[in-house]
mmCIF file of all heavy atoms in Angstrom:
data_model
loop_
_atom_site.group_PDB
_atom_site.id
_atom_site.type_symbol
_atom_site.label_atom_id
_atom_site.label_comp_id
_atom_site.label_asym_id
_atom_site.label_seq_id
_atom_site.Cartn_x
_atom_site.Cartn_y
_atom_site.Cartn_z
ATOM 1 N N TRP A 96 39.587 -32.513 69.610
ATOM 2 C CA TRP A 96 38.732 -33.619 69.903
ATOM 3 C C TRP A 96 38.956 -34.194 71.151
ATOM 4 O O TRP A 96 38.032 -34.753 71.898
ATOM 5 C CB TRP A 96 38.917 -34.672 68.796
ATOM 6 C CG TRP A 96 38.271 -36.112 69.162
ATOM 7 C CD1 TRP A 96 38.971 -37.137 69.285
ATOM 8 C CD2 TRP A 96 37.030 -36.364 69.310
ATOM 9 N NE1 TRP A 96 38.092 -38.182 69.546
ATOM 10 C CE2 TRP A 96 36.775 -37.719 69.668
ATOM 11 C CE3 TRP A 96 35.761 -35.504 69.356
ATOM 12 C CZ2 TRP A 96 35.501 -38.317 69.898
ATOM 13 C CZ3 TRP A 96 34.627 -36.247 69.606
ATOM 14 C CH2 TRP A 96 34.486 -37.529 69.842
ATOM 15 N N GLU A 97 40.100 -34.231 71.674
ATOM 16 C CA GLU A 97 40.330 -34.704 72.908
ATOM 17 C C GLU A 97 39.775 -33.891 74.096
ATOM 18 O O GLU A 97 39.305 -34.366 75.072
ATOM 19 C CB GLU A 97 41.895 -34.790 73.229
ATOM 20 C CG GLU A 97 42.690 -35.856 72.391
ATOM 21 C CD GLU A 97 42.257 -37.166 72.845
ATOM 22 O OE1 GLU A 97 42.017 -37.493 73.897
ATOM 23 O OE2 GLU A 97 42.138 -38.053 71.955
ATOM 24 N N ASP A 98 39.602 -32.599 73.749
ATOM 25 C CA ASP A 98 39.106 -31.700 74.778
ATOM 26 C C ASP A 98 37.576 -31.992 74.750
ATOM 27 O O ASP A 98 36.945 -31.803 75.809
ATOM 28 C CB ASP A 98 39.294 -30.237 74.476
ATOM 29 C CG ASP A 98 40.802 -29.904 74.508
ATOM 30 O OD1 ASP A 98 41.523 -30.505 75.382
ATOM 31 O OD2 ASP A 98 41.325 -28.988 73.968
ATOM 32 N N LEU A 99 37.031 -32.339 73.575
ATOM 33 C CA LEU A 99 35.604 -32.508 73.511
ATOM 34 C C LEU A 99 35.216 -33.826 74.042
ATOM 35 O O LEU A 99 34.209 -34.055 74.752
ATOM 36 C CB LEU A 99 35.150 -32.316 72.042
ATOM 37 C CG LEU A 99 35.142 -31.011 71.382
ATOM 38 C CD1 LEU A 99 34.720 -31.121 70.025
ATOM 39 C CD2 LEU A 99 34.047 -30.117 72.040
ATOM 40 N N ARG A 100 36.170 -34.836 73.969
ATOM 41 C CA ARG A 100 35.820 -36.261 74.322
ATOM 42 C C ARG A 100 35.792 -36.353 75.756
ATOM 43 O O ARG A 100 35.065 -37.306 76.390
ATOM 44 C CB ARG A 100 36.788 -37.076 73.740
ATOM 45 C CG ARG A 100 36.450 -38.628 73.815
ATOM 46 C CD ARG A 100 37.244 -39.343 72.747
ATOM 47 N NE ARG A 100 38.720 -39.180 73.090
ATOM 48 C CZ ARG A 100 39.394 -40.068 73.956
ATOM 49 N NH1 ARG A 100 38.758 -41.104 74.544
ATOM 50 N NH2 ARG A 100 40.649 -40.075 74.207
ATOM 51 N N HIS A 101 36.651 -35.689 76.504
ATOM 52 C CA HIS A 101 36.679 -35.838 77.917
ATOM 53 C C HIS A 101 35.733 -34.929 78.548
ATOM 54 O O HIS A 101 35.720 -33.673 78.674
ATOM 55 C CB HIS A 101 38.144 -35.458 78.569
ATOM 56 C CG HIS A 101 39.214 -36.258 78.065
ATOM 57 N ND1 HIS A 101 39.258 -37.585 78.388
ATOM 58 C CD2 HIS A 101 40.377 -35.912 77.244
ATOM 59 C CE1 HIS A 101 40.427 -38.206 77.735
ATOM 60 N NE2 HIS A 101 40.942 -37.210 77.126
ATOM 61 N N CYS A 102 34.604 -35.653 79.181
ATOM 62 C CA CYS A 102 33.435 -34.937 79.595
ATOM 63 C C CYS A 102 33.806 -33.983 80.798
ATOM 64 O O CYS A 102 33.054 -32.981 81.032
ATOM 65 C CB CYS A 102 32.287 -35.953 79.959
ATOM 66 S SG CYS A 102 31.736 -36.860 78.475
ATOM 67 N N ASP A 103 34.737 -34.455 81.632
ATOM 68 C CA ASP A 103 35.029 -33.656 82.898
ATOM 69 C C ASP A 103 35.697 -32.301 82.425
ATOM 70 O O ASP A 103 35.467 -31.407 83.154
ATOM 71 C CB ASP A 103 36.115 -34.411 83.609
ATOM 72 C CG ASP A 103 35.470 -35.796 84.227
ATOM 73 O OD1 ASP A 103 34.144 -35.736 84.295
ATOM 74 O OD2 ASP A 103 36.209 -36.689 84.608
ATOM 75 N N ASP A 104 36.363 -32.241 81.311
ATOM 76 C CA ASP A 104 36.969 -31.078 80.913
ATOM 77 C C ASP A 104 36.182 -30.140 79.932
ATOM 78 O O ASP A 104 36.318 -28.981 79.784
ATOM 79 C CB ASP A 104 38.450 -31.281 80.229
ATOM 80 C CG ASP A 104 39.355 -32.066 81.131
ATOM 81 O OD1 ASP A 104 39.269 -31.812 82.368
ATOM 82 O OD2 ASP A 104 40.149 -32.879 80.700
ATOM 83 N N ALA A 105 35.309 -30.936 79.244
ATOM 84 C CA ALA A 105 34.573 -30.198 78.111
ATOM 85 C C ALA A 105 33.201 -29.657 78.799
ATOM 86 O O ALA A 105 32.287 -30.394 79.000
ATOM 87 C CB ALA A 105 34.236 -31.111 76.990
ATOM 88 N N THR A 106 33.200 -28.414 79.220
ATOM 89 C CA THR A 106 32.011 -27.983 79.718
ATOM 90 C C THR A 106 30.920 -27.472 78.702
ATOM 91 O O THR A 106 31.351 -27.709 77.472
ATOM 92 C CB THR A 106 32.370 -26.555 80.590
ATOM 93 O OG1 THR A 106 32.939 -25.663 79.577
ATOM 94 C CG2 THR A 106 33.421 -26.757 81.619
ATOM 95 N N ALA A 107 29.868 -27.127 79.153
ATOM 96 C CA ALA A 107 28.777 -26.847 78.340
ATOM 97 C C ALA A 107 29.042 -25.554 77.456
ATOM 98 O O ALA A 107 28.858 -25.438 76.282
ATOM 99 C CB ALA A 107 27.393 -26.587 79.088
ATOM 100 N N ASP A 108 29.814 -24.676 78.025
ATOM 101 C CA ASP A 108 30.213 -23.466 77.232
ATOM 102 C C ASP A 108 31.281 -23.774 76.286
ATOM 103 O O ASP A 108 31.197 -23.194 75.116
ATOM 104 C CB ASP A 108 30.822 -22.467 78.240
ATOM 105 C CG ASP A 108 29.715 -21.738 79.112
ATOM 106 O OD1 ASP A 108 28.549 -21.962 78.831
ATOM 107 O OD2 ASP A 108 30.209 -21.360 80.280
ATOM 108 N N TYR A 109 32.092 -24.792 76.609
ATOM 109 C CA TYR A 109 33.105 -25.217 75.496
ATOM 110 C C TYR A 109 32.380 -25.840 74.304
ATOM 111 O O TYR A 109 32.759 -25.503 73.122
ATOM 112 C CB TYR A 109 34.128 -26.065 76.210
ATOM 113 C CG TYR A 109 35.235 -26.542 75.312
ATOM 114 C CD1 TYR A 109 36.294 -25.624 75.194
ATOM 115 C CD2 TYR A 109 35.348 -27.623 74.404
ATOM 116 C CE1 TYR A 109 37.449 -25.833 74.408
ATOM 117 C CE2 TYR A 109 36.449 -27.899 73.661
ATOM 118 C CZ TYR A 109 37.470 -27.015 73.683
ATOM 119 O OH TYR A 109 38.596 -27.284 72.834
#
Side-chain angles (χ1 to χ4, degrees):
W96 168 241
E97 290 297 323
D98 297 333
L99 291 171
R100 190 164 62 91
H101 296 297
C102 298
D103 294 338
D104 300 330
T106 61
D108 292 338
Y109 189 80

